[in-house]
Amino acid sequence: ARTIARVLRTVDLRSDTVTRPTARMMQAMVKAEVGDDVSREDPTVNKLEEQGAAFLGKEASIFLPSGTMANLIALACHSQRLDEVLCGNESHIFHWEAGNASALFGIAINPVPTTPQGELTIETLDAAKRPEDVHCSRSRIVAVENTHNMRGGMVLSSSYLQGLRAWCDQNNMVLHMDGARLVNAAVASGVSAAQVAAPAHTTTLCLSKGLSAPVGSLLAGPAEFINKARHVRKMLGGGMRQAGVIAAAGIVALEDYPEYIPRDHALALQLRNGLEKIGFRVVYGGTNIVLVAGTPVEPSQANASVAAVKTALKEKGILCGGVRSYSPYLRLVTHRHITAECVAHTLEVFGSLGPDFFAKRQ
């Protein structure tokens, strides 16, 4: 009998960014009514921004080309040169956005230790916050990530976020949420996206990860803040003219995500359970990301070890990602194109390699 491996194409678990638009998105894109968005004349973009603001529980929102630009604009609009953002030392803003806030806007980045749950504790924030002193940059922003990518898709709890907002208010700071996978947090928590975002002054939402739109993110917050964001977007070259063609897919994403995000989570749970049964150590935050832990190695060896494992898995039809340099973790991300058969094949391959495979590839 043919095995699962023989009937499946490559299983791509590298990221939920590999998702392709749904058929309904493609139809909406073809039929989209468009205009000049820089002049606020694109009716489809205007509709997306109105729906996005309501979806996230904020006064207004702006459609942007990427989540990286969305975070950058948020930090720029919340601060001035010489100001500082406190963010996690395992955050996307710190590791994966090319140092843009410092390079382009003179904003200092102060990386704060991240707990296994993806949190920045009040104690560490108290220690990291700069005094009002001419020798120091000015701590003005706290940025959190929800869900937390490098912590296996961990969801920040409502009680934690409410306490963090209170601390920010007491210290005259603003709370920004990198909500690239905010919908995953909402689905996992059984609440609305607006409830997840409520404690934050501003939030982002990526439309092109698990939501499956081809491109774009939203930045949401107070109307005055979003008006300022439009100026910064123009300065960065982010004005997109007849952007309704892609905004149409974002509208569909906000409407249709309940059809697939819960399923993504269920498949990730199956993957986590299967890997643990085989004997692998995993980190799983209850959403769509599973981190597979390798045998601890010296930092200088970790990246090469993970790269060798990824290559070996690719030869067997499994594509996966890493977490970052010098981290002995593989990252497996479920999304709309992953099926139960894909998970079964992945577990079959991992089972054939065994939990000591990392050690053998060092």
Side-chain angles (χ1 to χ4, degrees), residues 67-68 71 88 90-98 145 148-150 178 181 209:
T68 293
N71 280 331
E90 299 287 18
S91 67
H92 197 278
I93 287 175
F94 180 57
H95 277 288
W96 303 116
E97 299 187 5
E145 188 173 324
H148 200 290
N149 173 37
M150 292 173 65
D178 176 356
R181 296 183 175 89
K209 289 188 169 68

Side-chain angles (χ1 to χ4, degrees), residues 42-359:
D42 190 303
T44 307
V45 173
N46 292 342
K47 180 180 179 181
L48 171 62
E49 290 178 344
E50 291 170 6
Q51 289 188 198
F55 184 78
L56 295 167
K58 302 302 181 187
E59 194 174 7
S61 79
I62 181 172
F63 182 47
L64 297 164
S66 71
T68 293
M69 183 181 284
N71 280 331
L72 175 63
I73 290 176
L75 299 186
C77 291
H78 279 312
S79 64
Q80 305 174 43
R81 296 186 71 86
L82 307 181
D83 285 350
E84 175 182 81
V85 56
L86 306 182
C87 63
N89 65 339
E90 299 287 18
S91 67
H92 197 278
I93 287 175
F94 180 57
H95 277 288
W96 303 116
E97 299 187 5
N100 54 18
S102 299
L104 300 177
F105 291 101
I107 301 168
I109 303 294
N110 187 348
V112 177
T114 307
T115 71
Q117 291 73 41
E119 299 176 352
L120 314 178
T121 68
I122 298 302
E123 292 75 19
T124 56
L125 290 171
D126 279 330
K129 183 179 180 295
R130 307 291 184 183
E132 294 292 335
D133 188 301
V134 295
H135 299 89
C136 303
S137 55
R138 298 168 297 204
S139 300
R140 289 292 181 262
I141 310 165
V142 174
V144 293
E145 188 173 324
N146 196 18
T147 66
H148 200 290
N149 173 37
M150 292 173 65
R151 287 294 186 260
M154 290 288 178
V155 178
L156 301 182
S157 71
S158 175
S159 60
Y160 164 73
L161 289 169
Q162 290 170 5
L164 184 58
R165 172 60 183 264
W167 184 89
C168 288
D169 290 344
Q170 292 166 8
N171 287 277
N172 194 30
M173 298 177 70
V174 296
L175 177 60
H176 172 67
M177 182 179 292
D178 176 356
R181 296 183 175 89
L182 185 150
V183 167
N184 295 91
V187 169
S189 303
V191 300
S192 69
Q195 287 173 285
V196 173
H201 293 87
T202 56
T203 186
T204 65
L205 172 64
C206 183
L207 300 169
S208 64
K209 289 188 169 68
L211 297 188
S212 287
V215 63
S217 285
L218 293 170
L219 171 62
E224 184 177 355
F225 173 90
I226 295 300
N227 286 336
K228 185 176 180 180
R230 294 190 186 281
H231 287 268
V232 180
R233 181 183 71 172
K234 182 61 178 173
M235 181 180 69
L236 294 173
M240 296 184 289
R241 304 302 178 183
Q242 288 73 38
V245 173
I246 51 177
I251 292 171
V252 175
L254 295 182
E255 295 171 350
D256 288 359
Y257 76 88
E259 296 179 12
Y260 37 89
I261 295 296
R263 178 178 158 280
D264 295 346
H265 292 187
L267 290 174
L269 178 60
Q270 290 178 28
L271 191 57
R272 188 284 300 266
N273 291 343
L275 288 167
E276 285 189 337
K277 187 175 180 180
I278 296 168
F280 285 93
R281 295 182 297 117
V282 302
V283 176
Y284 175 62
T287 55
N288 69 322
I289 299 175
V290 179
L291 303 183
V292 185
T295 303
V297 296
E298 292 298 320
S300 61
Q301 298 175 323
N303 201 38
S305 174
V306 168
V309 173
K310 287 166 60 178
T311 298
L313 289 169
K314 183 177 180 179
E315 292 172 354
K316 294 180 176 290
I318 306 296
L319 300 182
C320 57
V323 175
R324 63 175 172 83
S325 298
Y326 312 126
S327 175
Y329 284 97
L330 294 174
R331 188 183 72 156
L332 311 179
V333 185
T334 55
H335 49 79
R336 192 172 60 83
H337 305 309
I338 298 300
T339 65
E341 290 75 20
C342 293
V343 171
H345 175 44
T346 301
L347 293 173
E348 180 182 289
V349 170
F350 271 85
S352 70
L353 298 175
D356 63 342
F357 183 63
F358 275 83

